[in-house]
Amino acid sequence: MIFNPEYECMDRQARDKLQLAALKNLTETLFSKVPFYRKKMIEAGITPKDIHCTKDIDKLPFTTKDDLRDNYPHGLRACPQDRIVEVHMSSGTTGKPVVNEYTIKDLDIWRQSMARTLAGAGCTRDDIVQNCYGYGLFTGGAGVHYGALTIGAEVLPMSSGNTERQLMILRDFGSTMLTCTPSYALYLAEEAAESGIDIRALPISKGCFGAEPWSENMRIEIEERFNMKAYDIYGLTEIIGPGVAFECEAQHGLHVNEDFFFPEIIDSATGKVLPAGVKGELVFTTITREGTPLLRYRTRDITCIIEEPCSCGRTTRRIQRLFGRTDDMLIIRGVNIFPSQIEQALIEIEGTEPQYLIIVSRENHLDEVELQVEVKKELFTDETRGLENLRSRIEQVMRSKLQIGLRVKLVEPKTIERSIGKAKRVIDNRKI
């Protein structure tokens, strides 16, 4: 379902014109009202008058997460305080939190973006949306809530956690759509099986999952366990929250809401803009935001832009599902490894559960990696030879896929700590 055909199916030339006008307005606002950006533009030798086409965006300076933290709490606000009506922020577990301030217009942008996102997964006013993303300062719960209300669907604002209650509501209220992290979706399915609930027999038929990287194989696993369609969604607190990009029924790349967010792919080392189809770091400019708009924000997410037409009829550019992040990439003995690569390989191996933990250490100046993998319950009642064969098989697959040897430790189901939010997949104990 296309929620807003006027903008989602807009002619490319018309969209370029719309984006250019918005970009010019944004640079003028930031130059005149935000000292941080005025200083950055002057240092870059550029003014708003130098923006003549959307390609000129590459003349403008980047913004990083450190910039956001350095300007905490209100240093990047681009409008008077009395126009701010809502605030969200990151958890701030690795430093000062990232603050996002919203005007009424910003909330309208968010509602529209999330309505398109949910509609892309088939949500209509007839659906009952069980929203298991966290509410509060976290953007996940609120974003889905606003989008579902904009469509006219019924919302169950569950927030995260309390899995027993989640399953009761899922069953008793006949929820037809689930929204949460993909790892929590699998945990729900796992707990349903433990409780004797046939989750495949429930009315739920679709789900929107995001907030952490997940593989195509994990999608297949979720769809099989729930008997539903699982759609990837993308967003981040710094830009607006969820709703920046979303999958449609084709499930081939995520459509960017380009009338609100201008995407680029850059070489993370040089900052040079890369052409469509080339993998690099994703950068966004919030061309229509008012509260805390951002110029060329470096997301650290790795993907590429797809410009080919989509079978769904939308004309917006798409991004490929994330390959990983520049800042969760592990460099082990000179080899770049992403947790998502390990996940993709594991789900293909029969006998394993989609729960794993990567523990990195340094022994005698050499990097060592232990991969803990949960094994299906029945295998732990089997003979030791079967477990050893499985462990050996996983090691062989990892060596083939990653070009590096890992120590594999098989553990019983429920051994690895579960998370109601983003799954913790890596513990890096190296002192580098």
Side-chain angles (χ1 to χ4, degrees):
M1 170 184 165
I2 299 177
F3 183 76
N4 191 330
E6 179 183 357
Y7 288 99
E8 295 181 73
C9 304
M10 182 178 280
D11 174 80
R12 185 77 249 175
Q13 270 192 318
R15 182 174 288 113
D16 286 343
K17 186 176 179 180
L18 188 75
Q19 289 176 324
L20 177 58
L23 180 61
K24 285 182 174 181
N25 181 67
L26 174 65
T27 54
E28 289 169 359
T29 297
L30 295 178
F31 193 83
S32 63
K33 296 182 178 180
V34 183
F36 167 78
Y37 277 119
R38 180 165 59 251
K39 182 174 181 291
K40 293 265 280 190
M41 285 190 221
I42 290 172
E43 289 173 349
I46 190 168
T47 71
K49 293 180 180 178
D50 296 315
I51 304 300
H52 304 294
C53 64
T54 53
K55 288 185 178 179
D56 286 337
I57 197 170
D58 67 0
K59 300 174 182 177
L60 295 166
F62 292 111
T63 308
T64 67
K65 182 167 283 191
D66 284 341
D67 293 330
L68 273 60
R69 288 173 174 154
D70 290 344
N71 284 278
Y72 171 90
H74 305 305
L76 296 181
R77 184 191 288 161
C79 68
Q81 187 276 330
D82 62 5
R83 293 188 58 205
I84 301 298
V85 296
E86 188 165 321
V87 176
H88 288 274
M89 64 182 74
S90 68
S91 61
T93 54
T94 56
K96 288 184 179 178
V98 169
V99 176
N100 196 344
E101 302 182 86
Y102 300 73
T103 64
I104 289 292
K105 179 185 175 184
D106 292 335
L107 289 182
D108 287 341
I109 290 169
W110 201 10
R111 292 185 187 104
Q112 177 68 212
S113 297
M114 276 307 301
R116 298 177 192 178
T117 296
L118 296 175
C123 182
T124 71
R125 62 182 303 107
D126 297 323
D127 277 296
I128 300 172
V129 181
Q130 185 153 330
N131 186 12
C132 307
Y133 284 112
Y135 279 70
L137 290 174
F138 176 61
T139 55
V144 171
H145 195 102
Y146 289 148
L149 291 182
T150 302
I151 287 174
E154 179 181 338
V155 190
L156 300 174
M158 297 297 297
S159 196
S160 55
N162 202 340
T163 302
E164 184 178 346
R165 185 179 177 85
Q166 297 276 10
L167 290 171
M168 180 186 76
I169 298 297
L170 196 65
R171 179 188 58 204
D172 296 347
F173 280 70
S175 304
T176 58
M177 186 173 200
L178 178 67
T179 60
C180 60
T181 61
S183 57
Y184 188 61
L186 285 175
Y187 182 54
L188 277 173
E190 193 175 70
E191 289 299 299
E194 290 281 335
S195 303
I197 298 172
D198 183 2
I199 206 161
R200 288 175 54 85
L202 298 182
I204 186 167
S205 61
K206 49 193 170 282
C208 281
F209 307 105
E212 63 185 14
W214 55 306
S215 64
E216 186 64 27
N217 281 338
M218 196 170 188
R219 185 214 299 275
I220 294 169
E221 184 87 8
I222 292 171
E223 291 187 338
E224 171 62 26
R225 291 200 181 191
F226 280 88
N227 190 30
M228 70 170 175
K229 296 288 285 182
Y231 296 88
D232 195 7
I233 64 174
Y234 176 81
L236 56 168
T237 300
E238 298 91 321
I239 301 302
I240 202 165
V244 176
F246 61 93
E247 279 188 325
C248 64
E249 61 268 27
Q251 293 182 312
H252 180 59
L254 291 86
H255 291 270
V256 177
N257 283 308
E258 282 195 89
D259 44 330
F260 304 133
F261 316 110
F262 190 92
E264 300 173 85
I265 300 292
I266 65 166
D267 182 310
S268 59
T270 66
K272 181 181 177 182
V273 177
L274 299 174
V278 178
K279 188 192 303 183
E281 182 181 347
L282 180 61
V283 171
F284 274 113
T285 297
T286 59
I287 52 177
T288 55
R289 290 288 311 276
E290 292 183 331
T292 47
L294 298 181
L295 197 61
R296 303 192 79 196
Y297 180 72
R298 297 185 62 160
T299 68
R300 300 297 180 185
D301 290 320
I302 299 173
T303 184
C304 64
I305 288 178
I306 304 170
E307 288 191 332
E308 291 79 13
C310 183
S311 59
C312 72
R314 293 173 178 85
T315 57
T316 48
R317 287 182 292 175
R318 288 166 287 157
I319 55 173
Q320 188 62 263
R321 294 187 73 190
L322 301 185
F323 297 104
R325 287 179 56 83
T326 61
D327 55 3
D328 73 359
M329 180 178 71
L330 293 168
I331 303 178
I332 308 296
R333 299 173 222 150
V335 178
N336 296 342
I337 298 174
F338 292 100
S340 56
Q341 291 176 288
I342 291 175
E343 177 187 293
Q344 183 83 16
L346 274 179
I347 293 181
E348 293 177 353
I349 300 174
E350 188 176 351
T352 64
E353 294 283 359
Q355 301 292 343
Y356 65 94
L357 183 65
I358 305 162
I359 302 176
V360 188
S361 59
R362 179 157 287 179
E363 301 174 14
N364 299 321
H365 308 293
L366 293 176
D367 293 336
E368 298 292 342
V369 183
E370 178 180 275
L371 174 61
Q372 295 185 4
V373 182
E374 285 192 9
V375 177
K376 292 189 181 297
K377 185 187 298 183
E378 54 268 25
L379 285 179
F380 267 93
T381 61
D382 201 354
E383 59 183 22
T384 305
R385 182 181 299 174
L387 288 174
E388 181 56 31
N389 288 341
L390 177 59
R391 188 188 65 77
S392 178
R393 164 98 174 116
I394 295 172
E395 287 184 345
Q396 290 172 4
V397 169
M398 292 302 158
R399 186 176 290 108
S400 173
K401 298 276 188 183
L402 306 177
Q403 307 303 310
I404 191 171
L406 309 179
R407 291 196 303 252
V408 173
K409 180 181 179 181
L410 303 181
V411 299
E412 295 187 48
K414 303 290 186 73
T415 300
I416 295 172
E417 183 180 356
R418 301 301 196 260
S419 171
I420 60 174
K422 296 185 182 182
K424 185 174 179 61
R425 300 300 195 191
V426 180
I427 297 175
D428 195 338
N429 293 323
R430 291 175 295 180
K431 305 296 182 185
I432 301 176

